[in-house]
Amino acid sequence: MKPARLIMTLFTAVTLSVPLASTASAAPETGGHHDTLRWAAPRGFHIGSAVAGGGHHETQPYPDPFTSDRPYRQVLGAEFSSVSPENQMKWEYIHPERDRYNFGMADAIVRFAKQNRQVVRGHTLLWHSQNPEWLEKGEFTKDELRAILREHIRTVVGRYAGRIQQWDVANEIFTDSGALRTTDNVWIRELGPGIIADAFRWAHQADPRAKLFFNDYNVESVNAKSDAYYALIKDLRAAGVPVHGFSVQGHLSLDYGFPGDLESNLKRFAGLGLQTAITEVDVRMTLQAGGVPTEAQLRQQADYYQRMLTACLNVSTCCSFTIWGFVDKYSWVPVFFQGQGAATVMWNDFTHKPAYDALRSTLAGRR
Ligand code: 9MR
């Protein structure tokens, strides 16, 4: 993009975003704006965001974004047709003690989604990370552990039955070299790989309507890890296990090239009869001193977002594209990667980056 065009784009973005921000306190969170991502999206295609809260947010110097930041809620309701709890349905958050669940925030997100005519992606049921201490450190027999997982899945999936479109049942179960996580995943380590099929079966029993997914990072390309998923899912489906989808997270960095085979990779999973999705998109970058992205970085970032979205739109079974937060001030990236950031599509005042405009025009081009 030429500098003049970039300035125009930024200018347009600023002017377009003013009414959105200024109506934040007055308008209901109904998503009725005609210049939003969800409005631009083709029918049946869901454009989503993570709902900021829990996890890294708890150590940051701001209150819970989802419940406390009204302009944030306004944009979340207006722009997106799908929401994913960023942390609020993870074990440590929703099941903090063995005999106690904490449904408050997950309930609030599911309610918000209904009010705003959004679908929900549930995240997540079987994972090696963000498990409560009572689970990781408890000395349970195999039978007890199995019963704990079954009860958790029945309780959580059952509670939201009919209100969750897609569940990330199993998250990040393989290493980058395509080996099952047999050491750091408590379920696989203690109960063996057969527990994965059980988790899908239990989730399906608890909510037969929800589409059940495997979800991971570094599986955008055809590589050892995505090959491992391909082989596993093929076997599970041949055995009649209710696996319905494979999703790639899409945490990309400008420090690496774009995964040009994303579309063909999604297509091979579609070929197994699966739904596909891109579930946690962001594009981080190494920031110069001062922390402000250069115009070239913003252009390249917009290009990465656009190409990820296009890959999904080109695959008939890919109907869900979710960004992992939409505003830089709440992004996990600077907290986890020193010197990196600016990974989302909006500046801190909710004005639009070129990446936002790239997403919206790409969606509008497919209506
Ligand atoms: O964005 C999440 C952050 O708030 C948490 O602190 C972090 C802890 O693991 O998890 C982040 O979300 C992750 C997601 O659940 C699974 N894929 C990778 C995401 C980014 O780390």
Side-chain angles (χ1 to χ4, degrees), residues 10 65 74 76 82 90 174 184 217 250 255 357:
L10 288 170
Q74 162 68 18
L76 181 68
S82 177
K90 291 174 181 172
F174 287 108
D184 59 354
Y217 61 87
D255 294 343
D357 298 321

Side-chain angles (χ1 to χ4, degrees), residues 268-290:
R268 72 171 171 152
F269 283 92
L272 289 178
L274 295 170
Q275 295 195 4
T276 55
I278 307 189
T279 52
E280 304 184 13
V281 175
D282 49 24
V283 181
R284 63 186 185 273
M285 60 191 77
T286 301
L287 296 166
Q288 57 187 357

